[in-house]
Amino acid sequence: MSPAGVVLLGAPGAGCSSVGAALAEAQATPLLDVGAEAARALGTAPELALVAVPEERYRRALAAIALRALARVGDGAVVALGSGCLGDSAVESALAGATAAGVCLVHLTATPRRLATRNGLDAPRSVALGNIHQTFTRMLREREAACARWCPIVVDTTDTTPAQAAALVLARVADREGLDPAADGTIG
């Protein structure tokens, strides 16, 4: 892995948190999980944070924690950024700075069907809630496009475990950096 660190971006359910944990463990580096930290700061569980507090408050907390995490990524950390704070000018400026410092940005992706399942949207819903799948698909397109603008490396997590996806990330980062992925024993 690049000594400058890795930032994982992706739509909800792409695996930034789980793949980030596997990647950090494989590299014996810190994991900075922006979504989990924002939820903790807001006093709620990560899977409930967006509905437990007003969205504007959640987005402000997410951006503030993302800025702190991106300030530390140059020390070799893995940052599970997700995509919820893309579009925030300060976060995007920090991403540009991290890229200039040699940090690898990796876009985790998966099929819309897999992302819907991972987000619990594969169950029947009340018609009173409107067309959730249409709203989710629109959000996915926007988030995928935002991630694609930033990330030269893409890893599809549709049919992988977090450990398998982490190995793919390591291999793609090593290939991009011209390193031998097996040289430090992290991929085996």
Side-chain angles (χ1 to χ4, degrees):
M1 176 166 49
S2 168
V6 172
V7 176
L8 301 174
L9 290 96
C16 292
S17 295
S18 59
V19 174
L23 184 59
E25 182 179 336
Q27 293 296 290
T29 59
L31 170 65
L32 307 171
D33 187 333
V34 172
E37 288 299 318
R40 208 172 354 268
L42 294 167
T44 187
E47 64 275 7
L48 299 176
L50 190 55
V51 295
V53 298
E55 184 173 358
E56 186 177 318
R57 182 173 171 221
Y58 174 73
R59 298 285 176 212
R60 278 195 315 268
L62 199 64
I65 290 166
L67 290 172
R68 287 196 297 271
L70 290 169
R72 292 185 49 207
V73 71
D75 299 333
V78 173
V79 174
L81 186 67
S83 60
C85 55
L86 292 179
D88 180 283
S89 60
V91 171
E92 290 193 351
S93 179
L95 277 172
T99 301
V103 170
C104 289
L105 276 59
V106 178
H107 178 191
L108 300 181
T109 188
T111 63
R113 179 179 295 272
R114 184 60 54 109
L115 293 172
T117 298
R118 290 176 182 168
N119 282 285
L121 298 176
D122 54 349
R125 301 273 187 238
S126 168
V127 295
L129 295 174
N131 192 335
I132 292 175
H133 289 282
Q134 182 180 24
T135 302
F136 184 71
T137 301
R138 185 176 342 104
M139 183 270 300
L140 286 181
R141 277 195 292 269
E142 292 167 2
R143 299 276 182 97
E144 289 289 318
C147 292
R149 283 193 301 271
W150 284 101
C151 300
I153 299 171
V154 178
V155 173
D156 187 339
T157 67
T158 299
D159 294 317
T160 65
T161 66
Q164 291 167 331
L168 288 170
V169 168
L170 287 170
R172 303 247 169 86
V173 168
D175 183 51
R176 182 172 182 265
E177 300 292 317
L179 305 172
D180 176 3
D184 62 1
T186 57
I187 300 176

